Amino acid sequence: KNHKYAFFPSGAIGWRMSNENFLKDNNTISNWKWRASYGVTGNQSIGAYETLARFGSIYTVVGDQIVNGVAVTKLANDNLKWESSYQTDLGVDIGLWNNAISFTFDYYNIQTKDLLFARPLPEYIGLESPYQIQNVGELENRGIEISLSTRNISNDKMTWSTDFNFSKNNNKVKKLPDGDDIFIDSAPSHFLQGQTQVLREGESVGAFYGYVYEGVIQEGMSIPDGFENQPGGELYKDLNGDGQINSEDKTIIGNPNPDFTASINNSFTYKGFDLNVFFQASVGNDILNYTLLELAAGSSNATTEALNAWTPTNTNTNVPSAGIREKRITSRFVYDGSYVRLKNLS
């Protein structure tokens, strides 16, 4: 209501250096262009009527009669603003030997402010959906993008071209309301775990949040007071050293964002035939595997690692004893998600 409009300017400049006299007749360099741009982009990608209060129908009892009623299901936010991204981009395009080799490099820095976010609210407020769309802070994304294209073979019978792309992005939460963490629940509802990921100043978006798993409790081991104190139980790290395992010992246990991504595409033609081979890679991203957590909880099917569960005669194992356990978010179920994939072959 109070911030319907905003101003989003942008501008760009470029210099095609290959058109200058000192390069115009160069037989090697067919294209060389420098680029720079700066601009502000507005984002209003929230659902319709998300700024307004909502009421929902309920049933209540007056005297001994059941009657229809209404209750507030969501709070209004008249001061919601546009989310704005301030982006700087510096780049260069280079073509060699009549563009038989083409190279592009970009560096970017995006500062996003007034982030639109469904901020959880305390449940004692009594809303059916205890959250409100708010402008909650600032986020930084900066990185590089590289692309390389080559025409390896080109004649009447056969062609072969290669396209390679590389991207590296670092994102960081720069600012949150009062500097406080914002917790996210992405687990299945029956897990009953309300803090599976965290937004924290100085950390990447969506960092996994939970206990550090240190193995299985053994006979005679000195351990802090916690959820399990018997041999064969799960052992968690006492991060604050108070001799207790509780929510104060939860920390960041993984990052779903990759260190870099890359892809390579090769295209071949020979007479009437063509072949396309496309590989894609992601390196450095973590996965929080809810499926394995479910299968390790003892209340349903299990993986074959249950065959190596701790027993008094099988103590050299990282798998706790058989039994039903709470589905806690721990580093035991965080895995390296790096991969190389043959994504397309045609």
Side-chain angles (χ1 to χ4, degrees):
K1 181 178 179 179
N2 298 331
H3 300 282
K4 288 184 180 293
Y5 310 103
F7 181 53
F8 304 112
S10 64
I13 58 173
W15 174 33
R16 193 175 299 278
M17 192 170 67
S18 54
N19 284 352
E20 303 294 340
N21 289 331
F22 57 86
L23 282 179
K24 186 165 56 175
D25 299 323
N26 191 290
N27 294 325
T28 302
I29 299 173
S30 46
N31 179 51
W32 192 309
K33 181 180 180 179
W34 298 98
R35 296 176 283 101
S37 64
Y38 178 82
V40 187
T41 304
N43 174 27
Q44 59 162 352
S45 58
I46 58 176
Y49 315 116
E50 287 286 346
T51 63
L52 305 181
R54 292 189 190 179
F55 293 84
S57 61
I58 61 171
Y59 295 100
T60 188
V61 176
V62 177
D64 59 354
Q65 296 294 318
I66 298 176
V67 298
N68 292 326
V70 295
V72 177
T73 59
K74 210 172 86 175
L75 299 179
N77 187 353
D78 291 346
N79 293 315
L80 201 66
K81 300 179 180 179
W82 289 68
E83 179 180 296
S84 299
S85 294
Y86 302 78
Q87 178 167 343
T88 301
D89 190 283
L90 303 173
V92 61
D93 303 319
I94 299 174
L96 305 176
W97 297 293
N98 198 28
N99 293 326
I101 298 176
S102 298
F103 172 80
T104 298
F105 174 88
D106 279 278
Y107 166 80
Y108 62 86
N109 189 316
I110 307 171
Q111 303 290 326
T112 303
K113 301 181 179 181
D114 298 322
L115 286 163
L116 293 169
F117 185 75
R119 187 179 183 183
L121 301 176
E123 291 191 3
Y124 60 72
I125 290 178
L127 299 179
E128 179 183 18
S129 300
Y131 73 90
Q132 184 184 43
I133 303 294
Q134 297 182 3
N135 299 107
V136 299
E138 298 180 12
L139 175 69
E140 177 185 78
N141 280 278
R142 56 185 175 86
I144 60 172
E145 294 179 344
I146 298 172
S147 64
L148 176 67
S149 298
T150 61
R151 295 200 305 267
N152 308 311
I153 298 176
S154 181
N155 56 50
D156 294 339
K157 290 185 177 181
M158 182 177 179
T159 66
W160 170 29
S161 63
T162 301
D163 297 293
F164 172 78
N165 289 279
F166 175 90
S167 178
K168 180 176 177 62
N169 180 71
N170 292 313
N171 72 39
K172 182 188 295 184
V173 178
K174 299 292 292 293
K175 185 179 179 181
L176 291 172
D178 303 320
D180 295 333
D181 293 345
I182 294 179
F183 295 101
I184 303 168
D185 177 14
S186 62
S189 59
H190 70 278
F191 277 33
L192 304 178
Q193 299 291 326
Q195 298 179 347
T196 62
Q197 290 168 273
V198 63
L199 295 177
R200 175 175 291 174
E201 289 186 356
E203 301 291 343
S204 296
V205 172
F208 301 132
Y209 188 73
Y211 297 98
V212 177
Y213 182 70
E214 293 201 302
V216 180
I217 299 173
Q218 303 291 345
E219 292 278 3
M221 181 180 289
S222 177
I223 60 172
D225 291 333
F227 307 112
E228 295 186 66
N229 296 317
Q230 301 299 318
E234 296 173 301
L235 178 63
Y236 304 118
K237 189 170 185 178
D238 182 11
L239 290 178
N240 59 6
D242 64 355
Q244 300 281 333
I245 299 297
N246 51 40
S247 60
E248 298 297 320
D249 296 300
K250 297 176 74 173
T251 187
I252 291 175
I253 56 175
N255 183 353
N257 301 285
D259 294 333
F260 66 87
T261 59
S263 66
I264 186 168
N265 186 64
N266 280 282
S267 297
F268 306 87
T269 65
Y270 180 74
K271 295 185 177 180
F273 299 91
D274 64 81
L275 172 66
N276 180 264
V277 184
F278 179 55
F279 281 92
Q280 185 183 50
S282 177
V283 177
N285 55 294
D286 293 323
I287 292 175
L288 173 55
N289 196 322
Y290 288 141
T291 301
L292 289 182
L293 196 164
E294 176 86 60
L295 295 174
S299 57
S300 60
N301 290 338
T303 67
T304 53
E305 77 166 6
L307 300 173
N308 193 33
W310 185 96
T311 67
T313 57
N314 182 40
T315 59
N316 186 25
T317 177
N318 198 44
V319 182
S321 60
I324 297 177
R325 289 186 165 81
E326 185 178 340
K327 300 177 179 68
R328 294 187 183 92
I329 309 301
T330 78
S331 59
R332 178 185 172 194
F333 303 104
V334 176
Y335 296 85
D336 181 5
S338 302
Y339 69 88
V340 176
R341 175 189 181 193
L342 173 59
K343 189 171 183 180
N344 185 62
L345 176 64
S346 61

